[in-house]
């Protein structure tokens, strides 16, 4: 029989070396790259994924010199002594039968430091530092630094390098008139603007020899005004191939682009069509990337001829054994990346070590291990939401006897509401993973079961973990109780879980994460652009760079299903507490749907007409917002009713997840807390 993933698992011949499959673990900055003392942790992180079956891995970005730093003292490879330090990484990967390339990343004007350089002194919107404009001699020095970095990578034991030529970094900055307005041999027409990457790759190939992998990360879509045309991209691709690259890896979008490219609301495989266009241009293998998180999708892309190789980065944070599970026909056991960015990119931009919401072990492999227990315990977990699911399955995997109780008829807790939000459909995958994990780990699941102090005490459990979650916080506003009785005032649970009908004009009390989710739910009326690529492209203004420079046009958002008012007591911008790398996406999405926001409001009263608000401490400028319904999204309170009776009876009780801390629904903290507790018990 033909294997389920015959294309994905097929070897890839690069001439001097054959990769064991078509899977590239794409570059991710974890924070471990930036300090030599963390290299042993980085080594185990990569080794675990090499053991998991990845064909080729790419490190997080390392600058070729100080000017190329992403931030002060970020990862850099510029000396032989530094190359020796990397041996702990490459040796660990090779012992695990893996292959690894070092990404050479020069930040250019994206550098968050005063030594940044670029084509011209044009400050980027994501750094407060204006770069120094390079002289022709200065450009030559940067090329030499790239080549030296590649030589040092080989010296360090790497199997190759990836030259980061996309995402708006240094090389990309020379390619576009958006930044490069030079008139010398490094600017002007495209032949001059593309001279930099071609020179880098050509000289690099000459320096490292023929038996060394050179991946070039080419920007297939800049997604910025004045970006590259498709004719220019084709010309560059051919030039890079001729210069000696082994693989072309497709990059999508600049960091300053106002189009999301890797968030969970982006359709799966949204940019494979770009790689397909590239594949027709060159003869070397072409790799596709962005929002590919299942072996089924990867196989489909390869089978259809859209790419020769598939890059998946964050999916290997979520599950190091992704490839091995696919190869063993155990894809249902893969812990799928949900593209939330909460523990990976958000951590990176906060200068914290990256991890993964669904897999807290990512980048913590040396200190968070689920080792078999030497003292088997009988454990009760109450609540099958994220915290309870993580705690129960980790404890059972370690050999404990675990009973998991939930009063609902299905697992998931708050995830069952989150998965209904347009753009958050990936939560279905997390619940699928946990359903399989419950079965494989031996957790005894008791649904439709209301745990009581008496039943738990009668079970003679050694440990009782309360993951009982939250309840919506009640708000006190004159008239609210009467309108709740008429059904005009609802909680977010009424709408998302109980599917209460909602009218065409709606006011939302609370503009935190739940308020934003509720607004998305109401304006889309169940039709998610995330599941409709043509619609998504239209709403965000993504198009073929063959028809519009940079691959962007004016967005054409569809009309909102409802008129929504998003209200908050706090002054300032609504959604301030949203994810660092995704908050702007939510705000832009709701703005496109004409959601009206009000900040710094006082809730004066509610009646059959709607809600009366005023502004500021002086309660001025009263405004009646006439609506059909008001939905309360004002936070949650922890559910801890079981705790005190159990403590009074002398039981060993632990609070985790929302039951411990209800401030905003934080699945990252819940899963991490549940997993770490279970690892200690």
């Amino acid at each position: 029989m033909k294997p389920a993933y015959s294309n994905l698992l097929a070897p890839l011949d690069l001439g001097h070396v054959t990769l064991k499959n078509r899977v590239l673990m794409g570059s991710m900055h974890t924070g471990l790259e930036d300090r030599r003392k963390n290299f042993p942790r980085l080594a185990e992180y990569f080794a675990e994924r090499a053991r998991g079956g990845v064909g080729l891995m790419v490190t997080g970005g390392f600058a070729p010199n100080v000017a190329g730093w992403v931030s002060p003292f970020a990862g850099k490879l510029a000396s032989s002594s530094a190359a020796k330090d990397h041996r702990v990484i490459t040796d660990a990967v090779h012992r695990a039968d893996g292959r690894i390339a070092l990404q050479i990343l020069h930040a250019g004007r994206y550098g968050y430091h005063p030594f940044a350089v670029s084509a011209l002194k044009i400050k980027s919107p994501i750094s407060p530092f204006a770069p120094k404009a390079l002289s022709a001699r200065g450009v030559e020095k940067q090329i030499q630094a790239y080549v030296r970095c590649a030589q040092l990578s080989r010296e360090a034991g790497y199997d190759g390098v990836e030259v980061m030529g996309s995402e708006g970094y240094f090389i990309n900055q020379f390619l576009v008139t958006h930044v490069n307005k030079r008139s010398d041999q490094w600017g002007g027409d495209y032949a001059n603007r593309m001279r930099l990457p071609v020179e880098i790759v050509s000289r690099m190939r000459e320096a490292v020899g023929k038996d060394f992998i050179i991946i070039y990360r080419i920007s297939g879509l800049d997604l910025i005004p004045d970006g590259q045309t498709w004719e220019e991209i084709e010309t560059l691709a051919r030039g890079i191939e001729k210069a000696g690259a082994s693989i072309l890896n497709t990059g999508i979008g600049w960091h300053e682009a106002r189009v999301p490219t890797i968030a969970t609301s982006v359709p799966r495989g949204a940019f494979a069509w770009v790689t397909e266009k590239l594949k027709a241009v060159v003869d070397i293998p072409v790799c596709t990337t962005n929002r590919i998180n299942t072996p089924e999708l990867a196989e489909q892309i390869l089978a259809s001829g859209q790419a020769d190789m598939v890059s998946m980065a964050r999916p290997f944070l979520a599950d190091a054994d992704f490839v091995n599970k696919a190869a063993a026909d155990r894809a249902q056991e893969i812990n799928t990346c949900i593209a939330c960015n909460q523990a990976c990119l958000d951590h990176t931009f906060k200068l914290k070590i990256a991890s993964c919401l669904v897999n807290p072990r990512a980048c913590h492999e040396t200190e968070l291990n689920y080792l078999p227990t030497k003292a088997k315990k009988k454990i009760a977990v109450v609540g099958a939401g994220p915290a309870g699911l993580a705690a129960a399955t980790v404890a059972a995997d370690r050999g404990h006897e675990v009973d998991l109780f939930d009063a609902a008829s299905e697992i998931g807790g708050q995830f069952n509401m989150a998965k209904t939000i347009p753009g958050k459909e990936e939560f279905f995958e997390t619940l699928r993973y946990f359903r399989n994990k419950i079965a494989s780990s031996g957790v005894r699941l008791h649904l439709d079961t209301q745990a009581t102090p008496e039943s738990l005490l009668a079970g003679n459990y050694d440990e009782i973990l309360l993951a009982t979650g939250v309840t919506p916080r009640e708000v006190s506003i004159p008239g609210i109780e009467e309108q709740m009785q008429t059904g005009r005032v609802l909680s977010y649970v009424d709408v998302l879980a109980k599917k209460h009908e909602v009218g065409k004009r709606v006011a939302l009390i609370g503009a935190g994460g739940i308020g934003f989710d509720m607004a998305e739910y109401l304006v889309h009326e169940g039709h998610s652009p995330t599941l409709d690529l043509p619609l998504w492209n239209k709403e965000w203004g993504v198009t073929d760079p063959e028809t519009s420079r940079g691959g962007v046009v004016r967005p054409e958002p569809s009309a909102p299903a409802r008129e929504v008012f998003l209200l908050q007591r706090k002054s300032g911008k609504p959604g301030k507490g949203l994810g660092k790398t995704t908050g702007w996406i939510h705000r832009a999405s709701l703005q496109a749907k004409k959601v009206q926001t009000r900040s710094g409001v006082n809730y004066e009263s509610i009646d059959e007409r709607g809600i009366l608000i005023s502004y500021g401490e002086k309660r001025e400028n009263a405004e009646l917002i006439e609506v059909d319904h008001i939905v309360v999204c004002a936070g949650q309170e922890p559910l801890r009713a079981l705790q005190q009776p159990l403590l009074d009876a002398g039981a060993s009780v632990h609070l985790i997840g929302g039951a411990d801390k209800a401030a905003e629904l934080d699945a990252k903290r819940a899963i991490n807390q549940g997993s770490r507790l279970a690892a200690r018990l």
Side-chain angles (χ1 to χ4, degrees):
M1 290 179 62
K2 188 178 180 181
Y5 308 108
S6 57
N7 290 282
L8 186 66
L9 301 175
L12 180 62
D13 185 2
L14 298 180
H16 68 279
V17 66
T18 298
L19 302 179
K20 59 187 174 184
N21 54 51
R22 306 299 180 103
V23 180
L24 179 78
M25 175 176 145
S27 175
M28 292 173 286
H29 194 80
T30 66
L32 296 173
E33 302 87 355
D34 299 333
R35 300 293 179 268
R36 183 177 61 182
K37 69 179 182 180
N38 287 329
F39 279 12
R41 288 178 60 183
L42 192 59
E44 180 53 30
Y45 161 76
F46 281 120
E48 187 161 304
R49 283 144 185 86
R51 290 190 293 270
V54 180
L56 177 63
M57 298 179 292
V58 180
T59 69
F62 284 88
N65 54 20
V66 168
W69 269 343
V70 172
S71 59
F73 306 104
K76 173 171 68 75
L77 179 55
S79 69
S80 288
S81 62
K84 290 178 183 177
D85 294 333
H86 282 256
R87 276 287 179 179
V88 67
I89 299 169
T90 56
D91 287 349
V93 169
H94 293 148
R95 282 194 301 270
D97 192 31
R99 296 187 185 277
I100 186 167
L102 179 133
Q103 187 187 74
I104 305 176
L105 187 155
H106 190 307
R109 72 178 193 147
Y110 279 176
Y112 206 87
H113 55 82
F115 311 115
V117 298
S118 189
L120 285 181
K121 189 178 180 180
I122 301 176
K123 193 174 80 68
S124 85
I126 65 173
S127 172
F129 299 96
K132 176 186 175 182
L134 287 168
S135 64
R137 185 179 177 186
V139 174
E140 177 64 31
K141 284 184 176 180
Q142 303 308 310
I143 296 172
Q144 292 171 6
Y146 270 96
V147 175
R148 175 66 172 150
C149 189
Q151 292 174 309
L152 291 169
S153 297
R154 178 155 200 161
E155 190 178 311
Y158 287 99
D159 300 285
V161 293
E162 178 176 74
V163 179
M164 177 46 119
S166 67
E167 266 77 2
Y169 290 111
F170 179 70
I171 292 175
N172 223 170
Q173 292 160 23
F174 271 76
L175 290 169
V176 300
T177 57
H178 184 72
V179 178
N180 186 355
K181 304 180 189 299
R182 300 170 70 108
S183 56
D184 64 359
Q185 70 267 39
W186 303 106
D189 63 21
Y190 194 71
N192 280 350
R193 282 183 277 130
M194 66 175 269
R195 187 188 304 273
L196 176 68
V198 171
E199 282 288 315
I200 288 171
V201 174
S202 178
R203 293 195 214 175
M204 189 178 285
R205 175 55 76 197
E206 184 178 355
V208 298
K210 295 180 179 179
D211 59 341
F212 193 68
I213 300 169
I214 298 178
I215 307 165
Y216 184 82
R217 186 78 178 264
I218 186 170
S219 185
L221 276 179
D222 289 328
L223 297 179
I224 57 165
D226 302 320
Q228 297 169 96
T229 65
W230 185 250
E231 183 181 1
E232 291 171 342
I233 295 167
E234 282 187 335
T235 304
L236 176 61
R238 293 190 184 100
I240 293 297
E241 178 181 31
K242 186 177 180 181
S246 313
I247 298 171
L248 273 183
N249 189 10
T250 316
I252 302 294
W254 287 39
H255 285 309
E256 64 200 74
R258 302 314 289 172
V259 178
T261 55
I262 58 173
T264 190
S265 59
V266 178
R268 289 182 179 179
F271 305 105
W273 61 271
V274 181
T275 309
E276 185 176 19
K277 287 172 71 71
L278 268 178
K279 194 171 181 295
V281 174
V282 295
D283 294 323
I284 58 174
V286 177
C287 185
T288 194
T289 187
N290 287 45
R291 284 293 283 124
I292 300 166
N293 62 348
T294 70
E296 291 82 8
L297 177 58
E299 176 69 17
Q300 176 188 324
I301 288 169
L302 294 173
S304 66
Q306 290 184 294
D308 301 294
M309 197 172 192
V310 172
S311 172
M312 293 177 278
R314 294 171 299 167
F316 289 99
L317 286 176
D319 198 325
D321 288 322
F322 183 104
V323 177
N324 283 348
K325 288 178 179 177
D329 201 20
R330 295 163 43 218
Q332 288 301 305
E333 297 177 26
I334 292 174
N335 197 0
T336 303
C337 167
I338 60 174
C340 65
N341 291 0
Q342 292 181 34
C344 49
L345 285 176
D346 283 0
H347 278 210
T348 296
F349 281 90
K350 293 176 183 176
L351 301 182
K352 296 168 62 177
I353 300 300
S355 189
C356 178
L357 182 148
V358 299
N359 176 27
R361 284 198 68 243
C363 301
H364 297 272
E365 289 81 6
T366 59
E367 52 92 12
L368 179 55
N369 285 292
Y370 308 145
L371 301 175
T373 182
K374 295 179 181 179
K376 184 175 180 179
K377 291 183 175 182
K378 188 179 182 184
I379 298 174
V381 180
V382 185
L389 290 168
T393 53
V394 169
D397 266 349
R398 294 188 57 225
H400 292 300
E401 184 182 342
V402 180
D403 287 296
L404 175 59
F405 301 94
D406 201 292
S409 58
E410 60 180 332
I411 66 167
Q414 299 284 322
F415 269 19
N416 286 311
M417 287 185 281
K419 71 187 184 185
T420 68
I421 306 300
K424 290 194 172 183
E425 292 84 2
E426 294 291 5
F427 284 106
F428 279 100
E429 297 291 351
T430 306
L431 296 179
R432 180 264 309 150
Y433 166 76
F434 274 119
R435 277 193 294 271
N436 283 279
K437 192 67 178 172
I438 286 169
S440 65
S441 63
V443 172
R444 292 191 299 249
L445 178 61
H446 310 274
L447 295 174
D448 297 306
T449 303
Q450 185 73 55
T452 65
E454 294 76 20
S455 64
L456 293 170
L457 292 170
N460 294 316
Y461 293 103
D462 299 299
E463 309 283 350
I464 299 174
L465 282 54
L466 298 182
T468 40
V470 298
T471 187
R473 178 183 294 131
E474 295 182 1
V475 295
S476 179
I477 303 172
I480 191 170
E481 291 186 8
E482 292 89 336
Q483 296 308 313
M484 287 178 70
Q485 291 174 2
T486 66
R488 293 175 66 85
V489 174
L490 307 166
S491 75
Y492 67 88
V493 175
D494 292 326
V495 180
L496 297 178
K498 300 178 182 178
K499 305 301 179 186
H500 197 291
E501 289 289 331
V502 180
K504 289 297 183 181
R505 283 174 59 91
V506 188
L508 307 180
I509 295 176
I514 297 174
F516 269 74
D517 279 353
M518 179 58 66
E520 289 275 8
Y521 180 84
L522 294 174
V523 297
H524 285 101
E525 186 71 342
H527 186 68
S528 174
T530 304
L531 305 179
D532 186 340
L533 181 56
L535 174 62
W536 186 88
N537 283 336
K538 187 176 180 181
E539 295 217 337
W540 286 99
V542 177
T543 192
D544 193 326
E546 203 160 352
T547 61
S548 179
R549 181 177 284 275
V552 286
V553 291
R554 187 180 184 87
E556 296 181 35
S558 55
R562 291 178 177 84
E563 188 174 1
V564 175
F565 299 83
L566 190 59
L567 316 175
Q568 69 172 17
R569 291 184 188 274
K570 296 178 183 177
S571 57
K573 182 168 61 177
K576 187 177 181 181
L578 297 175
K580 190 171 181 66
T581 60
T582 55
W584 73 270
I585 301 172
H586 298 300
R587 286 188 287 270
S589 176
L590 294 191
Q591 184 177 11
K593 294 297 184 183
K594 301 179 180 178
V595 172
Q596 300 183 48
T597 59
R598 305 280 194 276
S599 299
V601 307
N602 308 297
Y603 304 117
E604 299 291 351
S605 64
I606 293 174
D607 60 25
E608 66 278 0
R609 297 171 298 169
I611 183 168
L612 180 67
I613 62 173
S614 64
Y615 296 86
E617 292 183 6
K618 296 183 179 180
R619 310 184 88 87
E620 298 175 319
N621 303 317
E623 176 185 3
L624 175 65
I625 301 176
E626 298 188 48
V627 291
D628 302 308
H629 284 95
I630 297 165
V631 182
V632 180
C633 308
Q636 310 81 32
E637 301 288 348
L639 285 171
R640 300 174 181 165
L642 293 173
Q643 182 187 25
Q644 198 57 51
L646 292 171
L647 289 174
D648 291 344
S652 178
V653 181
H654 309 267
L655 289 175
I656 56 175
D660 175 49
K661 185 179 179 182
E664 284 299 329
L665 297 179
D666 190 346
K668 179 185 71 172
R669 180 182 58 80
I671 292 175
N672 184 51
Q673 187 181 31
S675 299
R676 288 182 177 272
L677 174 60
R680 294 194 304 269
L681 291 177

